[in-house]
Amino acid sequence: MATAKTAPPASRRRESSRLAILDAALALCREEGYTKLSVEAIAARAGASKQTIYRWWPSKGAVLLEALEREVAESVTIPDTGDVVADMRIVVGNLIRRHADPNFGPHVAALIAESQQDPALARDALERFVKGRRAPLAERLRRAQQLGQLPASLDPEAILEVVFGALYHRLLLRSGPLDAAYGSFVVDVVFTGAAARLDPATDGSHLR
Amino acid sequence: MATAKTAPPASRRRESSRLAILDAALALCREEGYTKLSVEAIAARAGASKQTIYRWWPSKGAVLLEALEREVAESVTIPDTGDVVADMRIVVGNLIRRHADPNFGPHVAALIAESQQDPALARDALERFVKGRRAPLAERLRRAQQLGQLPASLDPEAILEVVFGALYHRLLLRSGPLDAAYGSFVVDVVFTGAAARLDPATDGSHLR
Amino acid sequence: MATAKTAPPASRRRESSRLAILDAALALCREEGYTKLSVEAIAARAGASKQTIYRWWPSKGAVLLEALEREVAESVTIPDTGDVVADMRIVVGNLIRRHADPNFGPHVAALIAESQQDPALARDALERFVKGRRAPLAERLRRAQQLGQLPASLDPEAILEVVFGALYHRLLLRSGPLDAAYGSFVVDVVFTGAAARLDPATDGSHLR
Amino acid sequence: MATAKTAPPASRRRESSRLAILDAALALCREEGYTKLSVEAIAARAGASKQTIYRWWPSKGAVLLEALEREVAESVTIPDTGDVVADMRIVVGNLIRRHADPNFGPHVAALIAESQQDPALARDALERFVKGRRAPLAERLRRAQQLGQLPASLDPEAILEVVFGALYHRLLLRSGPLDAAYGSFVVDVVFTGAAARLDPATDGSHLR
DNA sequence: AAGTAACCGAGACGGTACGTCCGGTCTTTGC
DNA sequence: GCAAAGACCGGACGTACCGTCTCGGTTACTT
């Protein structure tokens, strides 16, 4: 009656090489910066051959993406205290703290940068880093909408784009410090309408 | 009569070379994309020598920055109809139209990307492209604050960071179409408090 | 039985590239002259990359040196008729014929020239071209010394320096035609004492 | 009639520039070696412009040639003790001493090297440095021929080529020390027939 | 247990671009 | 009208990585 014990076709890929390469990529990025990161350097540092890298990743950006993913694998739990603004304040605070970390923020910046010239990486980064990790956040907003705490007509993902956009602005353009105060400011503007015009005559009227 | 006899020593720089180089940089960027842009290619296309480029610009990014600057040199006049939200709607609409132009937006994205690995370019781009061109806009917001149309406590530049951040998010991450609808959405969120929570119990209370 | 199982690690160097590069160097030198010879040109002509050249040779001079070596690889047999002067006449005649060849002499001249600014090439050229190829000739002179046909007190290598020096003088300074007559003259002066002073009173006395 | 105060058409060439350039060339050559010698470097050191150099000299080699000429301008007097071999011993000794000087020999070598790729310089160097400076020496040999101290059938210039060739061999190929012993050896070989074969049966017979 | 095929390290290879240097020409400005 | 200053085009330098390609050696699955 035949064998086929268990194992799926199973790639013969060596896990030790994979990890060494991811580690080397991260380490190089931290020590020398993304600029100095090259497939050649990763291979040398990891004791791997370039071929092995090219066999499994399409580009150095993809290696870094996977390395970063491994780093932040611990699932981020979204608080739900019932107060969506308060929750957002916490979440944005955490996000900012993480992106202000010189071991994380600049790498994200580098990936966004690399994405400009590498459509495949762009797609991957968008899917796995942006949409993927943002999903529970969007879900939290949707719950708030159902509770009538947020206008139901607004696309939660779009709102998050405004929030993250503000965050990335400081990350990418260094237009100011990426700190708690800025995070608070952004939450105020987006979730409390802090910047809404005061003129009572027309306030909100365009929204109908 | 007494006129100023002697002009300043005056750089011996040849204007024709400068323009040829800027034109070549833009043309190459449009035809082949920023990736294919190289000092070598610019020099060849401009009929200039690499040395001439390195004499006057520190990097290919700096060349493109100056070329783009020349392109958008025509002063952008900020409307002032008295209604700051309406004005912002117009301004953001124009901004989006410009950045959606495949002959402009991707180049801005490329410069932001390049800035991540080139501090000098980052500084330049921030100063000349971001702060410089945004100044009249901030001024417009300040005027609105004086008229009580906008909370005086908010830093206009920071508000603009949220607006531009949202814009750049779509430009850099391609998380959705960079179109008029999105622009309108962003203005709503930022300037009319469209995403402010509806819950009347706590509305705005945290602001004071 | 026990044969050597494992071959030496063996360089992975590709012979086809090596030959293409040597051929290209020679061809370029012949067609355009040593001045026009550049690593860049060799690489282009050979369909090789510059890196490949720099990997295996320290300079363009070294490439040409090896190319020339390959050209004259056929072992030059030194005649030994018993008459050392007659043999030298033949050898010097051959040498002159070879160096008068526009496909050889000028390249040797170029290498000597290049050696003035490249100590490594100088060492190589001296070892492989001068001492190496001259060794059998020195051996021939040493045999003549043993037979009493040549003063045993004279260093054969030094004698050859006089002979080759005279030859190179015409090659490098173009002070006159590099032809058989000159070769004969040099052999006369060096090996028959043709220029020795006739004055019998003091002849040779200083030698003891 | 008329003006024409005094000066002949007279080049307006500035002597101070000329001297500064020659001095700079020599100094650079001594301090850094001929390799580092460039028109650019000479101009910078001399406080002159490149154009001034190119106006008056065809190449950097020509500058050095003129500079060296100025250095050895003091006429070299050829001794004439009546004993041509003794005189030659003195002359060759002086030549060797001069060429062994690191401030002279290497420059001569460099000029000979440069001549290989610069026909104009080759012509100049041959005429002004070789033939010109060797003329009194040839004259001395001609006198010896008239006195029957040297075979009249031999071209004195050709004899000198053998002598200088031997000298240049050591200078250019560094095949051995360029010292008094070598000079003495060369004089012995050329002017006393020290290397002439000893075999009495055929000695000199081939000369007729 | 042997055969075999994917995987691995190593690193040579053809390329492209880098940023620098120098050659030789041309232009501007001052004496 | 020559000279200093120096910008300019051109071309080669030697280096760094790219992405592809063998080469042997080592697993780990198959038979």
Side-chain angles (χ1 to χ4, degrees):
Chain A
M1 171 77 45
T3 63
K5 270 177 188 163
T6 50
S11 160
R12 276 181 184 149
R13 180 171 188 180
R14 200 175 297 169
E15 188 65 5
S16 64
S17 292
R18 185 179 152 264
L19 296 181
I21 288 166
L22 294 179
D23 286 348
L26 259 190
L28 278 171
C29 229
R30 281 178 183 163
E31 291 165 24
E32 317 266 5
Y34 186 78
T35 313
K36 298 296 189 81
L37 193 69
S38 68
V39 173
E40 206 126 303
I42 297 174
R45 172 110 179 200
S49 79
K50 286 172 27 170
Q51 186 61 41
T52 300
I53 296 179
Y54 283 114
R55 213 192 318 267
W56 302 110
W57 291 275
S59 65
K60 66 172 179 174
V63 177
L64 183 58
L65 179 59
E66 190 172 328
L68 283 183
E69 232 177 356
R70 197 160 68 98
E71 276 268 307
V72 295
E74 71 273 13
S75 68
V76 179
T77 55
I78 307 299
D80 189 346
T81 64
D83 180 345
V84 68
V85 174
D87 290 351
M88 278 303 148
R89 215 171 287 280
I90 292 169
V91 166
V92 170
N94 288 339
L95 279 171
I96 284 203
R97 208 169 313 115
R98 195 199 286 277
H99 284 81
D101 177 354
N103 275 343
F104 185 77
H107 302 167
V108 171
L111 280 182
I112 295 177
E114 189 82 351
S115 289
Q116 302 311 311
Q117 343 178 198
D118 182 341
L121 180 62
R123 220 174 311 120
D124 244 44
L126 181 60
E127 219 57 54
R128 292 158 62 185
F129 242 74
V130 176
K131 295 201 178 158
R133 310 193 73 79
R134 236 173 253 183
L137 219 44
E139 194 44 46
R140 176 68 188 84
L141 292 188
R142 235 171 256 119
R143 244 176 290 135
Q145 287 178 320
Q146 283 159 6
L147 296 177
Q149 293 178 341
L150 223 53
S153 61
L154 299 179
D155 177 6
E157 257 97 12
I159 294 175
L160 290 174
E161 283 189 82
V162 179
V163 174
F164 277 85
L167 197 158
Y168 287 162
H169 193 287
R170 289 237 161 148
L171 178 65
L172 296 169
L173 298 184
R174 293 171 209 285
S175 46
L178 191 57
D179 55 13
Y182 183 63
S184 190
F185 170 83
V186 172
V187 173
D188 284 349
V189 167
V190 174
F191 291 104
T192 74
R197 74 169 145 198
L198 306 174
D199 181 354
T202 51
D203 193 353
S205 65
H206 70 281
L207 276 181
R208 172 171 8 359
Chain B
M1 193 70 57
T3 63
K5 261 180 194 164
T6 50
S11 163
R12 276 176 172 95
R13 181 169 187 182
R14 205 174 294 169
E15 188 66 6
S16 63
S17 293
R18 185 179 151 262
L19 296 181
I21 288 166
L22 295 179
D23 286 347
L26 260 190
L28 278 170
C29 227
R30 282 178 182 163
E31 292 165 22
E32 317 266 4
Y34 185 77
T35 313
K36 299 295 190 78
L37 193 67
S38 67
V39 172
E40 205 128 303
I42 297 174
R45 173 108 175 203
S49 80
K50 293 200 298 177
Q51 186 67 57
T52 299
I53 296 179
Y54 283 113
R55 210 191 321 267
W56 302 109
W57 291 276
S59 65
K60 65 174 179 171
V63 177
L64 184 58
L65 179 59
E66 188 172 328
L68 283 183
E69 228 178 359
R70 199 161 67 99
E71 277 268 307
V72 294
E74 69 273 11
S75 67
V76 179
T77 55
I78 308 299
D80 189 347
T81 63
D83 180 345
V84 68
V85 175
D87 289 352
M88 280 302 148
R89 215 170 286 281
I90 292 171
V91 166
V92 170
N94 288 339
L95 279 170
I96 286 205
R97 208 171 310 116
R98 195 199 289 275
H99 284 82
D101 176 355
N103 275 342
F104 186 78
H107 302 166
V108 171
L111 280 183
I112 294 176
E114 190 83 351
S115 289
Q116 303 311 310
Q117 343 179 198
D118 181 343
L121 180 62
R123 222 173 311 121
D124 243 44
L126 182 60
E127 218 57 53
R128 291 159 61 186
F129 242 73
V130 176
K131 295 202 176 156
R133 311 194 70 78
R134 236 172 251 184
L137 219 44
E139 194 44 47
R140 176 69 189 81
L141 293 187
R142 237 169 254 120
R143 244 176 289 134
Q145 288 179 318
Q146 284 159 4
L147 295 177
Q149 294 179 342
L150 220 55
S153 62
L154 300 179
D155 177 6
E157 257 96 12
I159 296 176
L160 290 174
E161 282 188 82
V162 179
V163 174
F164 276 86
L167 195 159
Y168 287 161
H169 193 288
R170 289 236 159 148
L171 178 65
L172 295 169
L173 299 183
R174 291 171 213 286
S175 48
L178 190 58
D179 55 13
Y182 183 62
S184 191
F185 169 83
V186 172
V187 172
D188 285 348
V189 167
V190 174
F191 292 104
T192 74
R197 75 170 143 197
L198 305 173
D199 179 354
T202 51
D203 193 353
S205 66
H206 70 281
L207 271 182
R208 169 184 23 263
Chain C
M1 192 67 64
T3 62
K5 260 180 194 164
T6 50
S11 164
R12 278 177 172 91
R13 180 169 188 182
R14 202 175 296 169
E15 188 67 6
S16 64
S17 293
R18 186 180 150 261
L19 296 181
I21 287 166
L22 294 180
D23 286 348
L26 260 190
L28 278 170
C29 227
R30 281 176 183 164
E31 292 166 20
E32 316 267 5
Y34 186 78
T35 313
K36 299 296 191 81
L37 193 68
S38 67
V39 173
E40 204 127 302
I42 297 173
R45 173 109 177 202
S49 79
K50 292 199 299 178
Q51 188 65 53
T52 299
I53 296 179
Y54 285 113
R55 210 189 324 266
W56 301 110
W57 291 275
S59 65
K60 65 173 180 172
V63 178
L64 184 58
L65 178 59
E66 188 171 329
L68 283 183
E69 229 176 0
R70 197 162 68 100
E71 276 269 306
V72 296
E74 71 273 10
S75 67
V76 179
T77 55
I78 307 299
D80 190 348
T81 63
D83 180 347
V84 69
V85 175
D87 289 351
M88 280 302 148
R89 214 170 288 281
I90 291 170
V91 166
V92 170
N94 288 339
L95 279 170
I96 285 205
R97 208 171 311 115
R98 195 199 288 276
H99 284 82
D101 176 354
N103 275 342
F104 186 78
H107 302 167
V108 171
L111 280 182
I112 294 176
E114 190 82 350
S115 289
Q116 303 311 310
Q117 342 178 199
D118 182 342
L121 180 62
R123 221 172 313 121
D124 242 45
L126 181 61
E127 218 56 52
R128 292 158 62 186
F129 240 74
V130 175
K131 294 200 177 158
R133 310 195 71 79
R134 236 172 251 187
L137 218 46
E139 194 45 47
R140 176 69 188 82
L141 293 187
R142 236 169 255 119
R143 243 176 291 133
Q145 288 179 319
Q146 284 158 4
L147 297 177
Q149 295 178 342
L150 219 55
S153 62
L154 300 180
D155 176 7
E157 258 95 13
I159 295 175
L160 289 174
E161 283 189 82
V162 179
V163 174
F164 277 85
L167 196 159
Y168 287 161
H169 192 289
R170 290 236 159 149
L171 177 65
L172 295 169
L173 299 184
R174 292 171 211 288
S175 48
L178 190 59
D179 56 13
Y182 183 64
S184 190
F185 169 83
V186 172
V187 172
D188 285 349
V189 167
V190 174
F191 291 103
T192 74
R197 76 171 146 197
L198 306 172
D199 179 355
T202 52
D203 195 352
S205 64
H206 71 280
L207 275 182
R208 158 185 33 290
Chain D
M1 187 173 303
T3 63
K5 269 175 187 164
T6 49
S11 161
R12 280 194 180 137
R13 180 169 189 181
R14 203 173 294 169
E15 188 65 6
S16 64
S17 292
R18 185 179 152 266
L19 296 181
I21 287 166
L22 295 179
D23 286 348
L26 259 189
L28 278 171
C29 227
R30 282 178 182 164
E31 292 165 22
E32 316 267 5
Y34 186 78
T35 313
K36 297 297 188 83
L37 194 68
S38 70
V39 172
E40 205 128 300
I42 297 174
R45 173 110 179 199
S49 78
K50 284 166 42 170
Q51 187 59 43
T52 300
I53 297 178
Y54 282 114
R55 213 190 318 268
W56 302 109
W57 290 275
S59 66
K60 67 172 178 175
V63 177
L64 183 58
L65 179 59
E66 189 173 328
L68 282 183
E69 231 177 356
R70 199 160 68 96
E71 277 267 307
V72 296
E74 71 272 13
S75 67
V76 178
T77 55
I78 308 299
D80 189 347
T81 63
D83 180 346
V84 68
V85 175
D87 289 351
M88 278 302 149
R89 213 170 288 280
I90 291 169
V91 165
V92 169
N94 289 338
L95 279 171
I96 284 204
R97 209 169 311 117
R98 194 198 288 277
H99 284 83
D101 176 355
N103 275 341
F104 186 77
H107 301 166
V108 171
L111 280 182
I112 294 176
E114 189 83 350
S115 289
Q116 302 311 309
Q117 343 178 199
D118 182 343
L121 180 62
R123 222 173 309 120
D124 243 44
L126 181 60
E127 218 57 54
R128 290 158 63 185
F129 242 74
V130 176
K131 294 201 177 158
R133 311 193 71 79
R134 237 174 250 183
L137 218 45
E139 192 47 44
R140 175 69 188 82
L141 293 187
R142 237 170 254 117
R143 243 174 293 134
Q145 288 178 317
Q146 284 158 6
L147 295 177
Q149 293 178 342
L150 221 56
S153 61
L154 299 180
D155 176 7
E157 256 97 13
I159 295 176
L160 290 175
E161 282 189 82
V162 179
V163 174
F164 277 86
L167 196 159
Y168 287 161
H169 193 286
R170 289 236 159 148
L171 177 66
L172 295 169
L173 299 183
R174 294 173 207 285
S175 47
L178 190 58
D179 55 13
Y182 184 62
S184 189
F185 170 84
V186 173
V187 172
D188 284 350
V189 167
V190 175
F191 290 105
T192 74
R197 74 170 146 198
L198 306 172
D199 180 352
T202 51
D203 193 351
S205 66
H206 69 280
L207 275 182
R208 165 184 21 324

